[in-house]
Amino acid sequence: MRSKGRTLRAKWLGRMLRDLRESAGLSLTEAGAHIVRDKSTISRMETGYLPARMAELRELLKLFGVDDPQLRAAMESLARDIWVKGWWEDYVPDIQVPVIDLAWLEARTNKLRHFSLPVIHGLLQTPEYAEAVMRTVDPDVPDDRMTAWLEFRMMRQDVLGRLEYTGILDEGVLQRSFGAAQVMREQLAHLLNLSERSNVTIRVLPFSASGLVGPEGGFTLFTLPAPFPLVAQVGTDASVVQTEMPKTARLAAAFDRFGCHALDAEESRVFIKTRMEEFA
């Protein structure tokens, strides 16, 4: 595993192994003896600090009596993801582990829902807008690191070619300028172009519904294949925290609530176009 620190996928695999071991009524020592490891090694596997290799995983699943083919396949896929290099691994020296986890989640999710506040979602950003946002957060970032950050963000956007994406933008996101007027005009034009895709829906939550917005700010909901849970990322791409149930249920309910009050897709395009023309 090349990422520094415990990745989300390593923690997931470890937690699943721990739950299966405890359900089977086996101790760390007993699990370790089966694969010729000591109990401290099994403990590190279960906490994600030393993810199980494929052969070890299969032996442990056999020991725990796991015969559900879907669960076995999901755990093996997770283990494979930990040890097989993804495109994001090339950016590990410059990108924090939670953001690496974000790229992995985006690559594995079937459906992504995002509520944008205070900036446009990273998957929808132009390079110029992204740089303006990043330099607002860290004005002293060296140019070489900025280049790496921008390349990483643009690479993430490839997922828009395959997944179902629904974004709700708080009106304040469209009113808040980053960079010169031309940067904002091109960014809003980019939103309009993306909204024409059959798999991308972009809607605007107007100020008239601003009382609905909670204290969390922006968030993303990731729907992954079974048996993995609904996962949420709270905050912006610059400050990433992933969370699971029960908090995800509350955020999913908030997203649905926003959707009830947001402009529809066509109304949102008109709103964005009007705002874009203000930057002429």
Side-chain angles (χ1 to χ4, degrees):
M1 184 174 56
R2 296 167 178 81
S3 299
K4 296 179 181 179
R6 293 183 300 159
T7 61
L8 181 64
R9 51 199 185 275
K11 288 185 280 189
W12 272 2
L13 182 64
R15 185 174 62 197
M16 295 170 80
L17 282 172
R18 182 199 64 205
D19 291 346
L20 289 169
R21 175 182 59 78
E22 291 177 348
S23 294
L26 296 169
S27 66
L28 291 168
T29 300
E30 290 170 323
H34 186 74
I35 59 171
V36 197
R37 294 276 203 163
D38 59 33
K39 68 177 184 179
S40 65
T41 299
I42 300 300
S43 178
R44 292 174 67 201
M45 287 181 180
E46 292 182 355
T47 54
Y49 285 104
L50 180 65
R53 294 283 187 176
M54 189 63 72
E56 295 171 326
L57 172 64
R58 288 172 175 164
E59 283 300 316
L60 288 171
L61 293 180
K62 185 188 302 182
L63 175 66
F64 301 156
V66 178
D67 53 12
D68 181 340
Q70 185 180 39
L71 178 58
R72 292 182 66 94
M75 292 184 70
E76 288 184 10
S77 177
L78 196 54
R80 194 174 296 112
D81 276 357
I82 292 169
W83 294 104
V84 174
K85 183 178 180 180
W87 66 262
W88 46 80
E89 299 290 351
D90 291 335
Y91 296 89
V92 168
D94 296 297
I95 308 295
Q96 296 178 345
V97 168
V99 184
I100 294 293
D101 286 337
L102 172 60
W104 176 77
L105 281 168
E106 291 168 344
R108 294 294 175 264
T109 191
N110 298 322
K111 181 171 72 172
L112 189 152
R113 292 168 287 170
H114 181 81
F115 173 62
S116 293
L117 185 75
V119 299
I120 293 169
H121 188 200
L123 293 183
L124 308 181
Q125 293 176 2
T126 63
E128 294 77 15
Y129 178 92
E131 180 171 359
V133 171
M134 291 177 186
R135 291 200 181 278
T136 298
V137 174
D138 187 354
D140 299 321
V141 62
D143 288 344
D144 58 344
R145 178 158 293 187
M146 176 59 69
T147 297
W149 288 355
L150 287 172
E151 286 179 357
F152 181 81
R153 185 160 300 185
M154 296 304 108
M155 287 284 287
R156 284 173 45 210
Q157 295 181 2
D158 286 349
V159 300
L160 290 177
R162 61 160 189 83
L163 55 73
E164 178 186 340
Y165 181 97
T166 302
I168 297 178
L169 288 71
D170 182 76
E171 181 180 340
V173 173
L174 303 177
Q175 301 292 347
R176 186 175 297 106
S177 298
F178 287 95
Q182 183 65 19
V183 170
M184 289 301 301
R185 183 177 174 84
E186 291 176 356
Q187 173 61 72
L188 297 182
H190 183 58
L191 290 181
L192 291 174
N193 288 335
L194 289 174
S195 72
E196 296 294 338
R197 297 188 184 184
S198 60
N199 64 314
V200 174
T201 301
I202 297 175
R203 300 174 64 192
V204 175
L205 183 69
F207 282 147
S208 59
S210 62
L212 296 171
V213 178
E216 294 90 356
F219 59 86
T220 309
L221 297 165
F222 302 90
T223 302
L224 288 90
F228 300 112
L230 179 67
V231 179
Q233 170 210 318
V234 180
T236 69
D237 291 354
S239 180
V240 178
V241 177
Q242 280 96 21
T243 185
E244 299 171 36
M245 292 292 287
K247 189 168 187 177
T248 49
R250 181 165 58 82
L251 292 172
F255 191 87
D256 291 341
R257 189 168 66 252
F258 298 159
C260 291
H261 295 270
L263 304 178
D264 66 26
E266 184 55 37
E267 291 171 333
S268 296
R269 278 192 284 269
V270 171
F271 188 100
I272 293 169
K273 187 170 188 267
T274 300
R275 179 63 176 147
M276 180 187 73
E277 291 170 349
E278 294 173 1
F279 286 104

